[in-house]
Amino acid sequence: MRRPVLSTALLLLLLAGCTSAPGGDDGEAADRWRPTPGTDWQWQLSGKLDTSVDVPVYDIDGFDHGKATVAGLHEDGRKVICYVSTGAWEDFRPDADKFPAAVLGKGNGWEGERWLDIRATDVLEPLMAERLDMCREKGFDAVEPDNMDGYRNETGFPLTGEDQLRYNRLIARLAHERGMAVGLKNDLDQIPELVDDFDFAVNEQCAQYGECADNQPFVDADKAVFHVEYELPTERFCADSRELRLSSMLKRYELDAWRKAC
């Protein structure tokens, strides 16, 4: 049977519709928030939330805050990041009992927290999907998944770099499927391999350890690097941060409302 000849215009439209988004994304990349280098921010995970800080981005605990809080920040013109731990179990979370003992490893240095066996994606993927569903339902614009570098720590499991890459990309995909941006937390060694999968980075203490230049691939890709120091005074890192175009500030370890920005 003779096939009809497609017009050039129609052929171009069909080809455009079959083209995948850059980096193998889910096709909705253009709709996601994309913070750019130098964007100012506030990170508060403890204490009564202070919404008066004059910055365009807030990073707050996803479990501790509801839809009304996120909506209020949106009304003030802020984008809001949902902090959730994806690489460690926390005994104080409402879903803690859903994690089987087999995936719980050694403590990660914080009270009530233990590393997760990120190889067990059959167990962890649905649990993390539920957490990211929560972030989406509350209206968050993005996700900060914490404890994303277990392979470099004593977790109690023989995790490899490949295990970590696979898991981190899984978390990025779950966030993107829900229309949210997602940040790579620390994991500096794998930035070159993961920069295309994440929309921004969150870093702790790169100045103290002389590692801030490792974040350059994100800046080169026009993606923000949200950075905090805990022990260095601002005069020790702010000049370098401005040169590297990082979004830097000094915070206390408890991540309460106090901040001193560069």
Side-chain angles (χ1 to χ4, degrees):
M1 183 176 179
R2 189 168 177 239
R3 296 177 181 174
V5 178
L6 294 175
S7 70
T8 301
L10 180 56
L11 182 59
L12 289 173
L13 284 172
L14 289 173
L15 288 173
C18 293
T19 303
S20 61
D25 215 328
D26 58 7
E28 298 180 354
D31 297 329
R32 288 200 305 272
W33 172 53
R34 292 180 174 275
T36 55
T39 302
D40 205 2
W41 71 308
Q42 166 66 324
W43 193 18
Q44 184 178 347
L45 301 183
S46 71
K48 179 177 171 56
L49 184 64
D50 178 2
T51 61
S52 68
V53 182
D54 187 16
V55 294
V57 178
Y58 264 70
D59 187 339
I60 62 177
D61 190 283
F63 281 102
D64 290 349
H65 300 287
K67 185 181 295 186
T69 298
V70 177
L73 288 166
H74 282 160
E75 288 171 6
D76 290 337
R78 279 74 176 267
K79 296 292 187 181
V80 195
I81 302 172
C82 182
Y83 171 91
V84 288
S85 182
T86 52
W89 175 77
E90 302 158 303
D91 66 5
F92 49 88
R93 297 302 190 186
D95 61 354
D97 291 343
K98 295 182 179 181
F99 291 78
V103 302
L104 307 184
K106 294 182 178 180
N108 70 350
W110 295 92
E111 185 177 355
E113 299 188 21
R114 294 166 65 179
W115 289 106
L116 290 170
D117 185 355
I118 59 171
R119 300 169 301 171
T121 54
D122 58 328
V123 174
L124 296 181
E125 180 173 353
L127 293 170
M128 296 307 157
E130 286 184 14
R131 289 187 166 192
L132 299 193
D133 283 342
M134 172 192 71
C135 294
R136 177 186 58 186
E137 289 162 7
K138 290 181 178 181
F140 283 93
D141 303 285
V143 180
E144 181 211 334
D146 199 8
N147 297 296
M148 296 284 273
D149 55 358
Y151 81 106
R152 297 192 64 197
N153 292 271
E154 293 294 326
T155 63
F157 306 110
L159 303 181
T160 67
E162 285 301 315
D163 294 328
Q164 194 70 60
L165 288 172
R166 189 179 307 112
Y167 188 70
N168 289 3
R169 286 177 175 137
L170 167 64
I171 297 300
R173 175 176 61 80
L174 292 175
H176 288 162
E177 287 174 351
R178 288 154 178 78
M180 296 181 291
V182 60
L184 179 64
K185 181 71 172 286
N186 297 321
D187 197 15
L188 289 167
D189 290 346
Q190 295 186 327
I191 282 178
E193 294 158 292
L194 292 173
V195 63
D196 290 340
D197 297 281
F198 288 82
D199 304 291
F200 58 92
V202 179
N203 179 270
E204 297 169 292
Q205 296 175 283
C206 67
Q208 182 172 341
Y209 297 107
E211 300 169 332
C212 287
D214 292 346
N215 291 288
Q216 193 64 42
F218 273 98
V219 176
D220 290 344
D222 201 31
K223 298 177 180 182
V225 177
F226 297 119
H227 161 234
V228 299
E229 293 292 329
Y230 301 114
E231 299 180 9
L232 298 180
T234 52
E235 56 267 24
R236 290 273 303 277
F237 65 90
C238 280
D240 288 339
S241 288
R242 283 190 286 269
E243 184 175 348
L244 292 169
R245 299 174 64 207
L246 308 184
S247 303
S248 300
M249 61 182 170
L250 180 64
K251 294 285 293 184
R252 293 190 279 245
Y253 275 112
E254 57 265 35
L255 292 172
D256 57 8
W258 183 87
R259 71 193 286 274
K260 186 175 182 181
C262 289

